Amino acid sequence: MKVIVTKNYEEMSRIAADMVAEEMKKKEEFVLGLATGDTPVGTYNGLIEKCKKGEIDFSKVHSVNLDEYYPITPDNDQSYRYFMNEKLFNHVNIDKANTFVPDGTAKDPDAFCKEYEAKIDELGGIDVQILGIGRNGHIGFNEPEAELYAYTHLTGLTQNTIEANARFFASEDEVPKQALTMGIKSVFKARRILILASGANKAEAIQKMLKDRISTDCPASLLCLHPDVTVICDEAAYSLV
Ligand code: GLP
């Protein structure tokens, strides 16, 4: 894995936005893999700015999101669909019909997950996947477990993640306890992966991820098996390495 350590969140976001933009310029029908959480917001702002300046064009871009809470409706302001509309899609010239986020209202989640995986394949795979990392080393909602799923699936959230994500909800009780998420193999279908981390609360996860040991106890540690991963993290997130 290539590692870039930045001074702070702003520099991390600027470098990530530049990298994504450079990749987008190489190909009109680009497939962009997206993540939610606070971490990629600065990168999305950078992409919005570049789009407004006419440096990049989303008109033929398709996007695929990593995960979504389950159950949740898209108009719930804590849903990842709502987040993506607010933080990126509403501000660039992307056709929303070309944006895919797992459906938190799916009646048959297992059937939906199969369709979602097929959608990724139909799009020809993801060109660049943006990832964040959970405090416990999760990617998407692939939580530390003895066994990890390969493909898109319905999963339970760990208490650690429920607590970490409670800050967005009125109370911890309101955090959905399940989610739909791409699996490890779905993420690995991306040709290039950028994983972003900022702040001291990610330092343990980054240390584990870069330790040169692979363990399902830190799902992000599996990323070293992928041929093209760039870690962009700030000094605080890198402080325990
Ligand atoms: C959530 C998401 C992850 C994200 C993580 C970190 O649990 N499912 O995809 O990477 O949180 O979020 P943040 O960037 O807010 O720290």
Side-chain angles (χ1 to χ4, degrees):
M1 285 191 274
K2 188 175 169 208
V3 183
I4 299 172
V5 182
T6 66
K7 279 249 149 311
N8 50 33
Y9 179 83
E10 287 67 31
E11 194 188 5
M12 174 199 79
S13 305
R14 190 174 43 73
I15 292 174
D18 285 349
M19 281 187 174
V20 174
E22 284 319 303
E23 294 290 334
M24 283 177 68
K25 286 178 198 165
K26 292 181 194 162
K27 196 177 169 194
E28 243 191 350
E29 304 212 343
F30 195 78
V31 183
L32 182 55
L34 297 168
T36 52
D38 286 332
T39 312
V41 172
T43 306
Y44 298 156
N45 288 339
L47 293 175
I48 292 167
E49 207 181 301
K50 287 174 194 294
C51 182
K52 293 210 160 117
K53 283 191 198 150
E55 291 172 22
I56 50 173
D57 174 18
F58 282 81
S59 62
K60 294 209 169 101
V61 169
H62 286 76
S63 71
V64 186
N65 261 79
L66 274 174
D67 50 12
E68 175 62 284
Y69 290 115
Y70 187 84
I72 203 161
T73 56
D75 58 343
N76 182 318
D77 62 7
Q78 292 312 324
S79 77
Y80 287 171
R81 159 55 73 181
Y82 190 95
F83 174 100
M84 287 314 306
N85 287 346
E86 289 285 305
K87 304 291 182 195
L88 182 65
F89 302 151
N90 289 345
H91 312 286
V92 295
N93 64 331
I94 199 163
D95 179 350
K96 286 225 182 85
N98 293 339
T99 64
F100 301 96
V101 179
D103 180 3
T105 68
K107 296 246 163 358
D108 180 346
D110 291 341
F112 175 80
C113 289
K114 287 201 176 75
E115 279 167 34
Y116 200 72
E117 201 65 43
K119 186 77 210 165
I120 299 170
D121 294 336
E122 190 191 310
L123 291 171
I126 295 165
D127 290 301
V128 172
Q129 175 68 55
I130 297 172
L131 287 183
I133 184 169
R135 295 189 308 199
N136 61 4
H138 73 231
I139 49 174
F141 271 128
N142 295 276
E143 297 273 37
E145 299 279 1
E147 289 185 330
L148 298 178
Y149 281 75
Y151 297 106
T152 305
H153 59 285
L154 179 66
T155 185
L157 305 187
T158 60
Q159 187 54 29
N160 181 308
T161 297
I162 292 170
E163 281 165 21
N165 291 4
R167 67 191 195 275
F168 300 113
F169 291 82
S171 74
E172 198 180 301
D173 290 344
E174 286 185 29
V175 184
K177 307 292 178 281
Q178 288 182 294
L180 300 165
T181 181
M182 282 190 201
I184 301 296
K185 177 74 182 173
S186 336
V187 172
F188 269 51
K189 284 181 189 171
R191 285 178 268 282
R192 185 166 190 205
I193 296 173
L194 300 184
I195 178 158
L196 314 179
S198 167
N201 64 351
K202 298 294 171 69
E204 265 182 49
I206 291 296
Q207 180 194 37
K208 265 191 162 179
M209 178 180 81
L210 294 175
K211 193 166 83 166
D212 193 26
R213 302 278 194 289
I214 297 162
S215 165
T216 60
D217 200 36
C218 175
S221 69
L222 274 92
L223 289 171
C224 74
L225 299 171
H226 187 282
D228 193 349
V229 178
T230 305
V231 183
I232 313 174
C233 64
D234 64 14
E235 283 171 1
Y238 194 71
S239 58
L240 295 177
V241 179

